[in-house]
Amino acid sequence: MGTGKQRWRISFHKSPLKHHLPFPKEFICPISGSLMADPIIVSSGHTFERHCVNACKSLCFIPILPDGSIPNFSTIIPNRAFKSTILNWCSSSNIDPPQPLDFLSAQNLVRTLMAAQNPQNSSMNFDVMNRLIESVTQLNHISTSSEESVTSLPLPTRPFCYSSSSSSSEMDPNSCEVDELIVKLKSSQVFEQEEAVISLRNLTRTLEETRFHLCTPRLLSALRYMITSRYASVQVNSVAALVNLSLEDRNKVKIVRSGIVPSLIDVLKGGFPESQEHAAGALFSLALDDQNKTAIGVLGALPPLLHSIRSEYSERTRDDSALALYHLSLVQSNRAKLVKLGAVQSLLGMVRSTGPMTGRILLILCNMAGSLEGRGAMLDGGAVECFVGMLRKGEFDGESNTRESCVTALYGLSHGGLRFKGLAKEAAAEDLLIGIEEMGSEQAKDKVKRILEVLREKDEEEKEVDWDELLNSDEDTNSA
């Protein structure tokens, strides 16, 4: 932090809910507390309302956010995809779109936050701050709701590259040893860097509290530069240490907001093979937290993750990359990005080849079928025929979960209106689904039943449908 810049720890007042529908937490500016109208993403990975950042910069003020992280305002990038996501959510929820906070109001808000730092008037200033936040945002409660997975299948919660060890020794996080560790991480001597990252990796293997206490802004800042080291041992051990740190749930958001994700992406794209395994594992681990999903997508992780599952990477790298994509694709903004990247056609091609990644890829496609863009791309790519064919052949290598994923994907596609009904009719899906209606879990049976209901519905517009013409069209007609 430069001289003259002030820090302030934000604490929001909570009072009874004024809206019938809770705002998603990630749509709220951490500084103003309001729904963002003009979101921007800064160097540290945080997203704010534009004029809140401009006001902070004009006043040389850097806040300490509620989770203890410190934003980096050196680079500002418009987050257009996130803005579109917020507007779409407002439209679908019948809520008026947010209005941008003008610069003067933002500056007054930041000045009040700065005044609240004065300990002599802390009680009064926090009161003023809370009233100002209420008047600006008209939002006094933020719900921490997360998107529900399209599947109830059990998934790993730790990267495959993670391995525990019982030989770790405990370190007091407040001791001079930690300071010495950070000094060595920042050393210009490679042997000291190597010694430090190996020690950090060992310290964070099994001791959860040690992981939490060591995961500080100072250590993450030093570790960020080690991750892209051109020395194999330094790079491998530093990324492995980061995987260990990310296993502690309290660290996940802190790590993403430290600005370390771009370094992980660089390693995944061109690091040493073992480092790539750990980088994929770290991205998977970080993607488990709902607050990180959008930021990881915005920071550019989707293309290299997609590339890694299609390439000759190690099995661990491909598995963790696929699981990272699964969790990231739970967010609509990431699904839209994957469609633009041509991911649907690529993933369907991998499913058709029935390789070892089929189960993982199907989970991602289940998520893609839950969005309008993904559904359209899947219908265009022959997904209905593909999934019906897999169900008919029953080639699941003994994996009943794969069968249920096919059913889940078809259920998502069944919201595709007449286009889906036409493609399902051509694939003779109804007779097949009748035969498997009694198979699988109760959840799968319910989905088959609902797909059959869609196929049997007779709409007025359907009576005059020319199925041949419909099947040859590229339109995705959405059901009413």
Side-chain angles (χ1 to χ4, degrees), residues 169-175 177-178 181 199 203 207 210 213-214:
S169 58
E170 195 163 357
M171 175 187 281
D172 178 2
N174 299 314
S175 71
E177 293 178 56
V178 177
L181 186 66
S199 295
L203 284 165
L207 303 171
T210 299
H213 290 298
L214 283 174

Side-chain angles (χ1 to χ4, degrees), residues 219-268:
L219 185 133
L220 290 173
S221 176
L223 192 59
R224 184 169 68 244
Y225 295 102
M226 298 298 98
I227 284 175
T228 52
S229 170
R230 60 193 178 93
Y231 297 98
S233 179
V234 174
Q235 185 183 106
V236 168
N237 284 288
S238 59
V239 186
L242 186 70
V243 172
N244 293 344
L245 290 170
S246 74
L247 297 176
E248 171 56 47
D249 289 341
R250 293 172 291 179
N251 291 345
K252 294 183 191 297
V253 173
K254 205 186 304 184
I255 290 171
V256 169
R257 293 183 176 178
S258 73
I260 214 164
V261 169
S263 298
L264 289 174
I265 292 171
D266 289 341
V267 171
L268 186 59

Side-chain angles (χ1 to χ4, degrees), residues 110-122:
V110 172
R111 286 185 190 278
T112 304
L113 303 182
M114 294 170 67
Q117 192 173 14
N118 186 340
Q120 295 180 345
N121 301 304
S122 60

Side-chain angles (χ1 to χ4, degrees), residues 133-165:
I133 289 176
E134 287 185 21
S135 67
V136 173
T137 67
Q138 297 184 350
L139 175 66
N140 301 305
H141 177 78
I142 300 173
S143 171
T144 55
S145 60
S146 62
E147 294 195 47
E148 205 176 298
S149 168
V150 296
T151 177
S152 61
L153 306 181
L155 291 171
T157 56
R158 289 189 171 187
F160 290 98
C161 63
Y162 169 74
S163 61
S164 63
S165 170

Side-chain angles (χ1 to χ4, degrees), residues 90-112:
C90 289
S91 176
S92 64
S93 304
N94 293 320
I95 291 176
D96 292 336
Q99 298 301 312
L101 183 67
D102 64 86
F103 179 77
L104 183 59
S105 296
Q107 201 170 49
N108 288 336
L109 172 62
V110 172
R111 286 185 190 278
T112 304

